[in-house]
Amino acid sequence: MAQTSQMTVSDEVAIEITNMNKWYGTFHVLRDIDLTVQRGERIVICGPSGSGKSTLIRCINALEEHQKGKIVVDGTVLSSDLKNIDKIRSEVGMCFQHFNLFPHLSILENCTLAPIWVRKTPKKEAEEIAMHYLEKVKIPEQADKYPGQLSGGQQQRVAIARSLCMQPRIMLFDEPTSALDPEMIKEVLDTMIELAEEGMTMLCVTHEMGFARQVANRVIFMDAGQIVEQNEPEEFFNNPKSERTQLFLSQILGH
Amino acid sequence: MSDTHAQTVAFVRETQIPPSAPPVTEAGVIKWVRENLFSGVFNTVLTLIAFYVVARFAVFVFPWFYNGVWEAASRKECIDILREAGKQTGACFAVLVDRWDHLVFGFKYPPDGYWRILVSFLLLVVAVAPALFANLPRKMLFFTALYPFLAFWLIWGGSLWLPVAILGLIIATMLVFRLISSQISVDIRKIVSAVIGVICGAGLAYLLYIGAQELVFIANSVGTEGLISGIAYGVFWIMAIFAFVFCVPMGIFVGYAIYNSYEDGGLVSIVASLLFGYLAFVYLLGPIWMALNAVIPIELQAVASRDMGGFMLNMLLGTICVSLSIPLGILLALGRQSPMPLIKGVCVVFIEFIRGVPLITLLFVANVMLAYFLPPSSNFDLILRVIIMITMFSAAYIAEVIRGGLAALPKGQYEAADSLGLDYGQATRLIILPQALKISIPGIVNVAVGLFKDTTLVSIISMFDLVGMIRGPIQNSTEWTSVYWEVYGFGALLFFVVCYSISQYSQWLERQLNTSHH
């Protein structure tokens, strides 16, 4: 397995997936997935639609159940035990393609909800934390508005801030920019780059290859539920080994 | 065109066109009349016909209303007064004045207790207000929680200590729940779980055993003569054998499930507090309130449920059933979505059964049939039976409305709540229900308004609500036979005022909860 030599990556293992398989009914979505993520590593997962990349990262915080194999997140084994699942979920932040903000709560309430109810943080302290992260994603002035009043890019940045308020050790991004206008993609990517520079462990399903080149330690290419190729970004883009990867790259970088 | 266009492809605006007023025909009253009343030949004809109908109706109704007689002792007197005054038509509103008390309070409620009804109605407004308007101080909800006990005492009378004792036992049950679920250490809870598990397991096994014996008894008394009896005999025997075989395993299973929950205390605390509550209500309630009443007697004249009547009975049933059926409906809707087959099955069967049966049937069951099933000595209050039936009926409908709201929520909301680490209860309470209920408001209000009007069906099982009062004691009296329009019009007006207020409130609430654009 390709080990990166960057300073921010520690030897500590953040996520370890061994021989993981998942089926939807009889459809074999994920096949023999093996993946080890070091703390501080930034991984970009790409691949054609239906290749199982979203399902893979959704298995990591148990939004999807895997049927075979083992997933260890932060030293906790993912089993059907609800306590372990809740523990892992509060350590792992997730951002969705469609943001999934809570429309009936203000931006600030969106950010303070989980700290108050899951972490039992006092309300005042939770609001301070929330304002800190809203400043970080550069929209503190929107704190009292509702999600419906914000643009898509702003909503996605709020979603990132909402996850960060739980002070997670790992962040998962499930195509965070694919529902956005081109103008707004940049503001979200900038936020993610900033996060990466601070050493957050990140798994990111995305088709933003510029982002992959700039911040990823490793790029993973998936097809038909399997990891086809993984490599450092330079090598991955300039010198793809498998034919399937070459075809995919020629199609998305072709124009 | 093409020439000029070719020359002016590059165009830069240098002056702004100032805004000007629209033409007279495009604004104000003229525009409205033109667009809404006379926008075409067909609409103009319709408008004229409508004007004609309204005018004819007004000409007919207005004198009837205006000439109305408000003071008379009987319908005959009304007619005499009108004839003396030389008027052709006129309403006889005197019936409303004469029978006002009966229409509002029923004809058996003691007149010197009317103030109790009025006070509890005024307090109802205070108690409901914080639940309806979020900007009122939250501390008022404390009074809302106390209100049912206070209103019970005011309306039914009797000793104040009975509702106080009930309230006390409910609080004690909740304290037992708190104690077992979060106050005691895991070791002690383990012992409690073992004890409760054994009691419940043995109790359940015993109940099933008794039930099995009962089934054998029924099977033997049905006998085997004839085909249908033979089949019934077989079915009862199969059920009996089933109960015999499974009474011990079921007891062990349930007992073990209760014991097994000692770590997080979920099941054991629920079962233990319910057990405590049941025992307390059966064995402690009576002695406690009687003892308290013997020391400090605070009593109002007791009124039997049979003596409740008039519009007050409709309000009573409507308020109680709406406020009970919404929480029950929420539970049923959530239960129907549960991944656990037993819970889901119970909810589906309940909802589908209740929706498939007319309310009238349920009310007849409440009135007549239940008496056959209950032990002869038991005195199960009639109003309570009716409340249970109406509540179950509307809860089933509300559950389906809320299920629609739950289904309308994007899956992403559940996933976002999950991914933040909220547990099922928190996600449901904080994320799912607020949004699902908001979507369901029109449907819930629809059911609530329907329920309120359906309370008049109790007149069929000889309870004297507003309609029962009119149909019975008023129209059967010698003074007021064949008075229809006045009394039913008055009843319609009362119901309209209440239902229209509910619907206006719900529209206001929808506007309040709309967060998409301010």
Side-chain angles (χ1 to χ4, degrees), chain A residues 58 61 63 83 86 89-90 92 94 96 100-105 113-114 117-118 120 146 148-149 162 166, chain B residues 263-264 411-423 426 429-431 434-435 515-518:
Chain A
R58 288 156 63 86
N61 69 349
L63 285 184
K83 270 190 200 129
D86 282 343
R89 281 174 178 166
S90 63
V92 179
M94 177 143 188
F96 300 88
N100 296 353
L101 293 179
F102 304 129
H104 62 301
L105 300 175
L113 184 95
W117 290 95
V118 180
K120 313 286 178 207
Y146 286 89
Q149 298 163 281
R162 178 177 72 177
M166 285 294 281
Chain B
E263 214 168 321
D264 55 4
K411 202 167 156 247
Q413 291 292 314
Y414 293 87
E415 288 177 352
D418 282 348
S419 75
L420 286 169
L422 297 170
D423 62 30
Q426 291 168 336
R429 190 158 42 96
L430 302 166
I431 309 297
Q435 297 185 59
T515 57
S516 57
H517 30 73
H518 281 253

Side-chain angles (χ1 to χ4, degrees), chain B residues 93-160:
Chain B
F93 294 120
V95 62
L96 303 180
V97 179
D98 188 45
R99 295 300 179 96
W100 175 262
D101 289 347
H102 291 180
L103 287 167
V104 177
F105 303 107
F107 70 126
K108 280 195 209 148
Y109 203 90
D112 53 354
Y114 287 166
W115 65 271
R116 286 155 47 181
I117 308 288
L118 292 175
V119 167
S120 42
F121 179 72
L122 291 178
L123 290 180
L124 171 70
V125 176
V126 180
V128 163
L132 298 186
F133 302 100
N135 49 2
L136 289 171
R138 294 293 84 194
K139 284 197 178 124
M140 282 174 76
L141 283 172
F142 188 68
F143 177 72
T144 309
L146 286 183
Y147 176 77
F149 302 95
L150 187 60
F152 171 76
W153 179 59
L154 280 171
I155 295 172
W156 272 270
S159 168
L160 175 62

Side-chain angles (χ1 to χ4, degrees), chain A residues 158-204:
Chain A
V158 172
I160 295 173
R162 178 177 72 177
S163 303
L164 291 178
C165 283
M166 285 294 281
Q167 292 163 328
R169 309 183 68 180
I170 301 164
M171 282 290 288
L172 307 174
F173 293 87
D174 187 1
E175 307 203 29
T177 56
S178 44
L180 296 176
D181 289 342
E183 268 185 318
M184 296 169 178
I185 291 178
K186 186 176 177 309
E187 61 187 52
V188 172
L189 288 181
D190 284 347
T191 309
M192 289 167 63
I193 290 168
E194 205 178 305
L195 201 59
E197 280 165 359
E198 285 169 18
M200 174 68 77
T201 312
M202 290 165 64
L203 267 83
C204 189

Side-chain angles (χ1 to χ4, degrees), chain B residues 35-81:
Chain B
E35 279 188 357
N36 291 292
L37 299 181
F38 303 105
S39 62
V41 177
F42 183 63
N43 280 357
T44 307
V45 171
L46 279 187
T47 303
L48 292 176
I49 293 174
F51 272 136
Y52 177 74
V53 171
V54 170
R56 277 300 295 268
F57 186 71
V59 166
F60 178 73
V61 168
F62 184 73
W64 181 80
F65 218 84
Y66 183 75
N67 296 339
V69 177
W70 289 88
E71 272 175 59
S74 69
R75 183 172 154 76
K76 195 168 166 303
E77 238 183 272
C78 271
I79 295 169
D80 289 345
I81 292 173

